[in-house]
Amino acid sequence: MTDRPRGGLAALCIAQVASWGLLYYSLPVAVPRIADDTGWSHTTITAALTIGLLVSAVAGLRVGKLLDATGPRRLMTGGSLAGVLALLLVAWSPNVFWFYVAWLVAGLAQSAVLYPPAFAVITRWYGPQRVSPLTILALVGGLASTIFAPIVAYLIEQFGWRTSYVIMAIILGVITVPLHMVFLNGQWSDAPDAKASPQDRVENTSAVRAITRSPRFILLTTVMSLAAFALFAVTINIVPLVMERGMAYSTAAIALGLLGAGQVVGRLGYGTLSRKTTPRQRTILIYGAGAISLAALAVVPEPAWLIISLAVCAGAARGCHTLLQATAASDRWGTKNFAQINATLNAPITALSALAPVTGPALAAAFGSYTLMGMTMAGLLVLVTVASAKT
């Protein structure tokens, strides 16, 4: 397509790794050292990331509209600069209030630089051939924690968390700002004329609303949001889930690590799945497999190798869900106004995903066990699978 710049996919991949690694994964790595230094609880610190993700979900709606109208260069470069500011604020924050403000700013940055806008750009660049480059982007982005978690840990051990966040701000700026400035479109070639009549703009807005307010879109959004919630609530809490049934901590940690490997497997297989199934069929297949995996994880007591295999299967469902989320709107409604439509789809998915890590333990406490929490999430995913037949 004429809008696709040379080197754009590689630039987006590198920027995604840095953005995810520093604007998302840095905080989970830093939590213990921040808690030791400040006396804030782990829950208090982690909640800042949840707040940022909720802000990202809301801001993403506006980002989608701007992305369709103006192109990605200014928007995503601005997001990178906001990310730099956010990390500097984290380093400076003298109390919890300013720490939360810093992650609120980080949420604004996330809305402009993480997967949803990047997926929208890829979809615009590649059109009908979008699945393969989307898969590449998701696979490379999945390496963010592998690359940056040890880097962040090393920096914090050497310099302390505050100085480390200043260094991280510099790294983020040096990597992502020039990549977004140089390799992204300043304006889409077929962007609406700034002098377009009010009637034309109203018609465009009406076309988007006709889709996003349709019963099918609302059902799809609900289904995908609940699926993301169920999958994430169980898999992010897999260590206490399997330890509850007697698995050693070290083995449980291996299960968590291989769950991540399962996500890579799922993403690698998504291209083949997309060629052999309709959008509705693969939604049912992915969520059905996820429901079976979650239920089995919740009840299978042994042996350890079987539980770890089930964790890989659950990870594969999560990996497929990332690409299902990236392609669901374009598969059903095409690529016109894709960024706006996809942002509307992504907002509740992002919001529920942000709540899932803390909701899982809360439900386990309410039910009396992680096993019952896991079964509940598996049951929710069964209902989601059934509802997917109407999407």
Side-chain angles (χ1 to χ4, degrees):
M1 297 177 69
T2 56
D3 271 336
R4 187 167 75 238
R6 179 175 297 179
L9 177 59
L12 268 183
C13 287
I14 295 169
Q16 284 295 296
V17 170
S19 298
W20 276 102
L22 298 173
L23 290 173
Y24 184 90
Y25 290 110
S26 69
L27 186 57
V29 175
V31 164
R33 293 295 179 261
I34 295 174
D36 291 343
D37 182 55
T38 62
W40 306 335
S41 71
H42 286 209
T43 301
T44 298
I45 298 167
T46 304
L49 182 58
T50 296
I51 289 173
L53 290 170
L54 292 174
V55 170
S56 173
V58 175
L61 297 171
R62 180 62 178 169
V63 166
K65 188 172 183 178
L66 290 172
L67 192 60
D68 274 335
T70 66
R73 181 186 298 160
R74 282 174 292 178
L75 182 66
M76 297 187 75
T77 302
S80 291
L81 293 172
V84 171
L85 173 62
L87 297 182
L88 291 174
L89 284 173
V90 172
W92 169 78
S93 53
N95 51 47
V96 170
F97 172 80
W98 283 107
F99 188 76
Y100 277 33
V101 169
W103 284 99
L104 184 152
V105 177
L108 294 174
Q110 291 165 357
S111 71
V113 299
L114 295 187
Y115 277 152
F119 285 156
V121 172
I122 293 293
T123 299
R124 183 64 179 252
W125 283 347
Y126 289 89
Q129 289 77 46
R130 61 189 174 274
V131 173
S132 179
L134 285 171
T135 301
I136 292 171
L137 185 70
L139 286 171
V140 175
L143 297 174
S145 61
T146 304
I147 294 171
F148 275 97
I151 292 174
V152 171
Y154 173 80
L155 289 174
I156 291 174
E157 289 299 318
Q158 294 298 313
F159 305 106
W161 71 273
R162 292 188 185 274
T163 301
S164 294
Y165 266 99
V166 174
I167 297 171
M168 283 185 258
I170 295 171
I171 294 172
L172 182 69
V174 168
I175 293 176
T176 64
V177 171
L179 288 175
H180 288 152
M181 286 184 66
V182 174
F183 290 97
L184 297 182
N185 311 75
Q187 182 75 45
W188 300 122
S189 60
D190 60 350
D193 193 329
K195 298 180 180 179
S197 70
Q199 180 63 31
D200 290 338
R201 289 193 289 269
V202 168
E203 288 178 358
N204 188 61
T205 300
S206 297
V208 173
R209 287 179 177 174
I211 293 172
T212 58
R213 297 182 181 181
S214 67
R216 187 186 185 195
F217 184 89
I218 292 170
L219 177 60
L220 179 66
T221 302
T222 302
V223 159
M224 298 194 73
S225 299
L226 292 175
F229 176 78
L231 285 166
F232 202 58
V234 175
T235 56
I236 198 69
N237 292 295
I238 192 172
V239 170
L241 172 66
V242 296
M243 287 182 65
E244 191 174 76
R245 297 200 303 280
M247 183 179 285
Y249 173 75
S250 58
T251 308
I254 292 173
L256 177 60
L258 290 179
L259 189 149
Q263 292 187 69
V264 174
V265 172
R267 291 172 184 177
L268 283 172
Y270 186 82
T272 300
L273 186 64
S274 69
R275 290 191 295 271
K276 295 180 179 295
T277 59
T278 66
R280 182 179 299 169
Q281 288 171 342
R282 59 179 165 271
T283 303
I284 294 171
L285 286 172
I286 291 168
Y287 292 160
I292 293 170
S293 299
L294 295 191
L297 272 175
V299 299
V300 172
E302 57 184 13
W305 67 263
L306 178 56
I307 296 175
I308 291 173
S309 298
L310 293 170
V312 172
C313 291
R318 266 189 61 185
C320 282
H321 183 271
T322 300
L323 289 168
L324 189 69
Q325 182 179 339
T327 57
S330 57
D331 284 344
R332 290 166 174 82
W333 293 284
T335 57
K336 183 176 176 58
N337 298 314
F338 173 77
Q340 296 177 69
I341 295 168
N342 197 53
T344 305
L345 176 71
N346 273 284
I349 298 174
T350 301
L352 284 183
S353 297
L355 295 173
V358 293
T359 303
L363 289 175
F367 296 153
S369 71
Y370 276 91
T371 296
L372 288 177
M373 182 275 288
M375 286 299 299
T376 300
M377 293 297 102
L380 175 61
L381 202 48
V382 168
L383 294 177
V384 164
T385 304
V386 173
S388 297
K390 300 293 185 179
T391 63

